[in-house]
Amino acid sequence: MSNLGGNGDQREFRCVHCNGKILIPPDLPPTTGPCPHCQKEITSPGPELPPELDPIFGKPIAAADAGPPPPPAAPAAPAAGGPPPLPNEAKLAAARKAEEEKAAAEKAAAEKKAEEERLAAEKAAAEKKAEEERLAAEKAAAEKKAEEERLAAEKAAAEKKAEEERLAAEKAAAEKKAEEERLAAEKAAAEKKAEEERLAAEKEAADAKASEEAEQKRRKAEAMAAAEKAEQERIEAAKAA
């Protein structure tokens, strides 16, 4: 059972599972869906008829509360040349039949309306389900795309890092090779210079030794010449004496 809300433009009813309060439009037909509180499936009640109408056929029921119907009136005098009036039982039977036909028509109309409302509710539920599935598919596609973009970004970052590391390694190897070549060149130059200095020192030493030997020979020759001269002078002096 539902009640009108405080502002008159909504109805409220309680969930049969969690007793949560739910507000719906006053003219919403019976609709099946999840409870906004417990998410279990529930069906909302249909619009309530005014109290003066029959809850099944929607016809006025005030006459039912007014007590038994008054006794039938006396039959009217037949009109000149017309058919004779129906007996009271026949009139009552005809009125009863007309009432039954009217009630049957109203019942059929109410059942048709209920069926239309049920179909409308099923259609609304199917459309809601289709919309939820569409949104879920879009969400899944968006998540898949985001995951693919994340993986592509990670791959690109990894490739960029690998390329940077490769270039850095090549640069380090080139710098190391250049340093080794520089050191080798410096070592070769130092060894060449040392060899040249050694050869120059050896030559200088050899030249100094040759010069000393020549000086010694010269002095020896001069000493021998002086001794020979002194001996001649002694011999001449002895002859003169």
Side-chain angles (χ1 to χ4, degrees), residues 69-139:
L86 292 174
N88 287 339
E89 290 186 7
K91 286 185 177 181
L92 291 175
R96 204 178 302 117
K97 183 178 179 181
E99 184 68 19
E100 289 174 354
E101 290 176 351
K102 179 182 178 184
E106 291 176 350
K107 180 180 179 182
E111 290 176 348
K112 181 181 178 182
K113 182 179 180 182
E115 180 65 12
E116 291 174 349
E117 291 175 348
R118 183 186 66 80
L119 293 176
E122 289 181 355
K123 181 181 178 182
E127 291 175 349
K128 180 181 179 182
K129 183 179 179 182
E131 179 67 10
E132 290 173 349
E133 291 175 350
R134 184 185 66 79
L135 294 175
E138 289 181 356
K139 181 181 179 183

Side-chain angles (χ1 to χ4, degrees), residues 23-44:
L23 296 176
I24 57 175
D27 57 350
L28 180 72
T31 304
T32 300
C35 171
H37 304 290
C38 65
Q39 305 304 318
K40 292 184 179 179
E41 189 174 274
I42 57 172
T43 300
S44 65

